[in-house]
Amino acid sequence: SQVKDSQLLKSLTIIDTPGVLSGVKQTQGRAYKYEDVLDWFAERSDMIILLFDVQKLDISDEMGALIKNIQRHADKIRVVLNKADSISHQNLLKVYGALLWSLGRVITTPEVTR
């Protein structure tokens, strides 16, 4: 392994939030408001990466609410399809289209999210 000195990495912080749960039953035990925590981080971040698995494109009610909550930071949001190299190009186009359709139901913008 190698160690390199990087000025960029000295000012970079990556925060991996827990996955968004689906269903009210799974979220009842939280001692905090997830939306408020996410909004706090969104305010202070330079970039927000929404990571979707190519095998699990479902946007739960909670995930939809969170996306709507951070939509005012749309200029910071980037959508990433994780594990895209694990499927064929033809299936990737189908998944990409399905994700855009699902996001279009949540994000109210005249332009397609990329």
Side-chain angles (χ1 to χ4, degrees):
S1 85
Q2 293 183 354
V3 177
K4 300 263 182 185
D5 189 31
S6 171
Q7 291 300 319
L8 172 67
L9 294 179
K10 289 180 181 179
S11 63
L12 178 71
T13 303
I14 297 175
I15 301 164
D16 183 10
T17 61
V20 177
L21 302 173
S22 60
V24 175
K25 193 174 185 179
Q26 287 103 343
T27 62
Q28 286 178 339
R30 287 187 181 145
Y32 58 90
K33 285 189 168 186
Y34 190 71
E35 299 86 10
D36 292 346
V37 172
L38 190 67
D39 192 51
W40 187 89
F41 280 113
E43 282 284 331
R44 289 154 180 80
S45 70
D46 294 320
M47 182 182 292
I48 301 166
I49 299 173
L50 297 178
L51 191 65
F52 290 92
D53 190 312
V54 294
Q55 303 296 331
K56 303 171 192 167
L57 292 180
D58 182 43
I59 298 177
S60 67
D61 292 340
E62 184 181 29
M63 181 65 166
L66 293 173
I67 291 172
K68 286 180 182 180
N69 191 42
I70 63 171
Q71 189 172 343
R72 62 191 171 99
H73 304 287
D75 58 318
K76 300 179 185 182
I77 298 174
R78 301 296 179 269
V79 177
V80 175
L81 267 174
N82 192 25
K83 302 177 190 170
D85 59 339
S86 67
I87 60 175
S88 70
H89 291 286
Q90 185 176 6
N91 283 340
L92 180 58
L93 289 174
K94 291 177 185 177
V95 167
Y96 179 71
L99 178 60
L100 289 181
W101 182 82
S102 295
L103 286 172
R105 295 177 47 211
V106 177
I107 299 174
T108 53
T109 179
E111 188 174 321
V112 175
T113 302
R114 297 190 186 265

